[in-house]
Amino acid sequence: MKQALIFTRFERFWHGSQMLMIFALLASGFEIHGSYQLLGFKQAVMIHEITAWILIGLWVFALFWHLTTGQWRHYVPTSYQLNDVIRFYMVGIFKGENHPYRRKRWAKHNPLQRLAYLGLKMLLLPLIWGSGLFYMFYGLWMGTGAHQALPIIAGLHTAGAFLMLVFVIGHIYLTTTGETPTEHIKSMVTGYAEIEEDENEKE
């Protein structure tokens, strides 16, 4: 094992800024929903919409970056060691066992992470963004008779927000399950993490 730079400066910026904006969207969204009162409805709506557009812009750029740099390969699902990783998080982690997956420069994420990120990007994010944009442009389609679908769309958006909150809580918990509670957090701050020295190993 050796320390190597595996998270580039852009990835760290993308991850950190995305995290802050998701927190802002969750906080403003729950205030819009009436879960609590702090800024007021109008300001919460303004913050929610501005943050959503900034995050959409960031994700479009991140998508371009992943496609043009080949980093998308790190998110391709694989069954290699999938059962080992699932068993580790269900049983092994509570027995103090070592994580069965060893990160490689060409495979940053373990197979369970890949599935989680794929589900996030292919299911949860389209649900949130689709319902959010539909709701945001309500004025354009309110006269078409489709306004009866508004409660359903609002419900889907709220359900997506709760699922995102569950993902965030799980994500934060898993960042504390490294060799030390801060190992994974340090990796996303510095970009450096332990990888296998054998760069020629293939799945």
Side-chain angles (χ1 to χ4, degrees):
M1 301 291 283
K2 66 177 181 181
Q3 286 281 325
L5 180 67
I6 63 166
F7 296 115
T8 66
R9 187 174 297 176
F10 172 73
E11 282 178 294
R12 285 176 276 148
F13 165 77
W14 170 53
H15 185 266
S17 54
Q18 178 180 242
M19 175 190 68
L20 292 175
M21 284 188 272
I22 287 175
F23 279 133
L25 285 168
L26 285 171
S28 57
F30 283 120
E31 180 160 10
I32 293 169
H33 194 262
S35 301
Y36 72 97
Q37 285 196 341
L38 180 63
L39 300 174
F41 181 79
K42 287 186 177 179
Q43 282 199 323
V45 170
M46 181 184 68
I47 291 172
H48 200 74
E49 291 184 353
I50 291 174
T51 307
W53 283 118
I54 295 173
L55 188 54
I56 287 174
L58 177 64
W59 278 347
V60 169
F61 186 77
L63 177 63
F64 174 78
W65 180 83
H66 279 85
L67 292 176
T68 54
T69 61
Q71 292 292 318
W72 57 270
R73 294 184 178 88
H74 294 282
Y75 299 90
V76 176
T78 175
S79 60
Y80 176 69
Q81 287 194 301
L82 177 60
N83 290 335
D84 294 338
V85 174
I86 291 174
R87 183 200 167 278
F88 170 76
Y89 284 117
M90 293 184 69
V91 180
I93 193 171
F94 301 109
K95 295 182 176 179
E97 296 178 5
N98 291 324
H99 200 294
Y101 185 77
R102 292 290 175 265
R103 183 181 280 145
K104 295 95 176 167
R105 194 186 301 277
W106 45 270
K108 300 176 185 179
H109 306 305
N110 70 53
L112 195 57
Q113 279 181 297
R114 295 186 187 203
L115 282 180
Y117 292 144
L118 184 68
L120 177 74
K121 293 175 180 178
M122 299 301 292
L123 299 174
L124 183 53
L125 295 184
L127 170 66
I128 293 175
W129 289 117
S131 57
L133 289 172
F134 211 59
Y135 199 74
M136 189 181 294
F137 292 105
Y138 168 70
L140 296 178
W141 54 273
M142 62 182 294
T144 65
H147 62 280
Q148 294 179 351
L150 187 60
I152 297 174
I153 293 169
L156 289 173
H157 195 66
T158 303
F162 276 104
L163 289 173
M164 177 59 78
L165 181 60
V166 170
F167 177 85
V168 168
I169 292 171
H171 192 64
I172 292 173
Y173 164 68
L174 290 174
T175 61
T176 67
T177 60
E179 293 290 328
T180 66
T182 59
E183 178 190 5
H184 296 320
I185 298 171
K186 285 180 180 176
S187 294
M188 287 311 304
V189 173
T190 66
Y192 283 85
E194 280 197 340
I195 62 171
E196 279 193 341
E197 292 189 46
D198 184 6
E199 294 292 311
N200 295 318
E201 181 183 345
K202 300 297 181 185
E203 295 179 12

